[in-house]
Amino acid sequence: IMGYYRFGSYDNTFPNISRISEAIAEVLPYAVDANGERLSPQPRLISALYNPNAQMSGVEFFETLAVMSLVFPTTYILCWRQEGSRAVPGGNITADNICGFTFLENPEVKYDPRTGRKTYKTRSLGRVDTWSEDEVIELSLNVNPYSLLDGYSPSMAAKKWSNTDDYIADYQGGFFRNGAIPAGQFIITARSVEEFNEIVAEMQH
């Protein structure tokens, strides 16, 4: 599934995705109070956004977040907390101890209808970790009408519609002996050949 989305959607939409992600990375987030005034000092959450983890700067994080959101149906972000001098993934995340974020790539997501909550299982180097909704931020850019618990990415829509456009183009190409694919077609109704020719000439002009 990861390969399908990565190679089937990202490569085809890369030019647009790269522009959008670069623009989003230029946005500098800050917290405001109830009156819209900038808070001073800023909360720990803002600091965590600017310094999300040891591998990424704030700009790289926002750029990656934009790419993930545009390509995948859902993006999963694991929250980290400060424990003494160490940054620890998950656990009891609060506004006073949150210190960073990392991406969960292809987690196994399970929904428990009895509790109405999800768990996120990851595997890495033989290690299995299970995270709760209190530790993971789940972002979906668009609602999937076929499954409300799943997201729907613009790349998925673009891939589907580009295929539809290809089919339409093939159909339209059948109207021309030389295989030309028109940008559109006009149906002209006229009472005489002369009137028809006049309309065609006016449209071409």
Side-chain angles (χ1 to χ4, degrees):
I1 293 175
M2 288 287 285
Y4 171 82
Y5 288 127
R6 182 180 292 117
F7 302 117
S9 297
Y10 179 65
D11 290 353
N12 294 339
T13 55
F14 172 76
N16 295 318
I17 288 175
S18 62
R19 288 187 180 183
I20 296 171
S21 62
E22 288 169 3
I24 290 176
E26 294 177 1
V27 176
L28 301 178
Y30 59 88
V32 298
D33 61 18
N35 298 317
E37 300 296 327
R38 188 186 295 240
L39 290 175
S40 182
Q42 290 283 290
R44 286 181 61 97
L45 173 63
I46 299 300
S47 298
L49 288 174
Y50 281 101
N51 302 280
N53 55 65
Q55 284 76 40
M56 290 182 171
S57 66
V59 172
E60 290 172 320
F61 179 78
F62 288 126
E63 204 165 23
T64 304
L65 177 60
V67 170
M68 298 282 279
S69 299
L70 291 167
V71 174
F72 294 108
T74 308
T75 301
Y76 305 96
I77 302 172
L78 176 64
C79 298
W80 290 58
R81 74 184 192 279
Q82 191 78 31
E83 192 173 271
S85 60
R86 299 185 308 125
V88 181
N92 182 28
I93 307 292
T94 68
D96 296 322
N97 69 12
I98 191 167
C99 69
F101 306 98
T102 53
F103 292 98
L104 290 183
E105 296 185 53
N106 199 27
E108 180 183 331
V109 183
K110 287 190 176 180
Y111 173 74
D112 187 343
R114 295 173 302 173
T115 62
R117 294 176 64 82
K118 293 181 181 179
T119 56
Y120 309 85
K121 185 179 291 184
T122 56
R123 293 178 170 83
S124 178
L125 302 175
R127 174 176 172 173
V128 179
D129 293 300
T130 301
W131 313 99
S132 72
E133 287 186 351
D134 298 325
E135 302 165 295
V136 175
I137 298 173
E138 184 174 320
L139 298 176
S140 297
L141 200 59
N142 289 297
V143 174
N144 184 344
Y146 307 110
S147 178
L148 296 181
L149 292 177
D150 298 325
Y152 198 78
S153 74
S155 287
M156 292 169 63
K159 177 176 171 55
K160 179 172 289 188
W161 280 106
S162 64
N163 288 342
T164 302
D165 289 342
D166 290 340
Y167 294 140
I168 293 173
D170 288 340
Y171 169 77
Q172 291 176 333
F175 287 97
F176 297 86
R177 291 181 181 177
N178 64 356
I181 299 176
Q185 293 182 23
F186 294 98
I187 298 175
I188 302 173
T189 303
R191 288 170 290 188
S192 65
V193 174
E194 291 76 16
E195 184 179 357
F196 175 84
N197 290 334
E198 288 177 4
I199 295 174
V200 170
E202 182 64 26
M203 292 176 67
Q204 290 177 340
H205 176 70

